[in-house]
Each structure stands twice: as structure tokens, then as C-alpha cells.
Amino acid sequence: MHKLFTLLCLVSALVLSSAAKAEIFVATYFGNSILVYDNFDAGLGVTPKRQISGPSTRLNVPSSVVVYTGSEPGSETEIFGCNAGSREIAVFPVNADGDVEPSRIIRPATNDCWDLAISQDEIYTGYNSGVIETFSIEDSGDFVQERRTIALPP
């Protein structure tokens, strides 16, 4: 189970988004940053085209990143970064760069955020006990209550 969870964390940290101009977004767990590359970059030592990092970003051990393009035409494209170190989801505009404040923070009331996925208007967060909690894509603030919980049988 632990190896599978680790693999899921690594896979979820890489996001290719066609809506975000075919860019690759990488959460750097120990680097406290989100790196953005062009999808055609290759080779060793490639410098990211953008990097979201610094104290204003509130990134704290980001374990996964998702780019949300919106389910409605004309809706904003946003970057959602899951902070394992601070139990927060930091949300940034898709073109964010440097030491920028998140446009909003979602702090779940109950569990840590390790993995992150978005489907339609729902955010799915998971952590290593096998519990998944869902939140609204519009949520913001501290101690946000989950919409629902999905858990493995005991």
C-alpha cells in the first residue's frame, strides 16, 4: 500500500494541461515550489519557464498540483497546490510566477492534503489512510467542511 501511495503522489505531482498553453506543472515537495515547463522541454538541467516559490506563496511541502480549466466556457484557469506541510490548498492564477500570494487558500477542517484531483466542480483530496474528502471548487477560507467523505472499509 505504501509503495502504491508513493507512486500516486509522484504521478499526481506532474500535470500536463492543454488549456494552460501545453505546460507541465510540477510540485517540488522539498523545494516548496511549483515549477512550470513547456511540454516540449527535454534534457538534463532544464530551467523552468516559471517558478512559484517564496514566503508569500504559502507553499509548504507541496505534494501535488492540479490545473483546473473550469467546467463553464470562459471560466478561470487556476493552479491548485496541495500543501502536505500545512494542511492547505493554495490556489494561484495559471500565469502566476515568482513570490506571489495565492488568490485564495482552502484549509480543510479535518484531514491533511497529500493528493489532489479535480473533476467538474469538485476537489478531491486524499491522504495516506485511504480517506478521500471532497470540496467545492469555489471554497475558500479556514476550516472548510468537506462535502462528502469516501473511505476504504475498515
Side-chain angles (χ1 to χ4, degrees), residues 5-150:
F5 174 72
T6 301
L7 176 63
L8 290 174
C9 283
L10 292 174
V11 171
S12 67
L14 299 172
V15 176
L16 177 62
S17 171
S18 60
K21 303 175 190 158
E23 297 174 320
I24 300 170
F25 295 78
V26 181
T28 62
Y29 191 79
F30 293 111
N32 291 327
S33 63
I34 296 173
L35 307 178
V36 183
Y37 297 91
D38 283 319
N39 72 341
F40 54 82
D41 285 342
L44 299 174
V46 176
T47 302
K49 66 188 279 184
R50 291 194 321 274
Q51 179 172 339
I52 304 169
S53 66
S56 297
T57 66
R58 293 178 62 169
L59 291 172
N60 183 6
V61 192
S63 55
S64 62
V65 61
V66 172
V67 177
Y68 177 69
T69 57
S71 56
E72 299 295 322
S75 59
E76 284 189 49
T77 301
E78 297 177 301
I79 303 168
F80 288 73
C82 189
N83 285 321
S86 60
R87 189 185 274 180
E88 292 180 337
I89 301 167
V91 184
F92 300 94
V94 73
N95 61 352
D97 189 16
D99 186 14
V100 296
E101 290 186 9
S103 53
R104 61 194 161 101
I105 291 287
I106 303 167
R107 183 173 293 196
T110 54
N111 294 305
D112 292 335
C113 179
W114 285 93
D115 286 321
L116 189 64
I118 297 176
S119 179
Q120 296 180 7
D121 67 342
E122 223 168 13
I123 302 168
Y124 296 80
T125 64
Y127 59 102
N128 61 3
S129 68
V131 174
I132 298 168
E133 294 179 334
T134 69
F135 301 90
S136 168
I137 199 73
E138 302 295 327
D139 281 341
S140 182
D142 288 339
F143 307 108
V144 177
Q145 291 297 316
E146 70 276 2
R147 282 183 168 180
R148 59 194 172 109
T149 299
I150 306 165

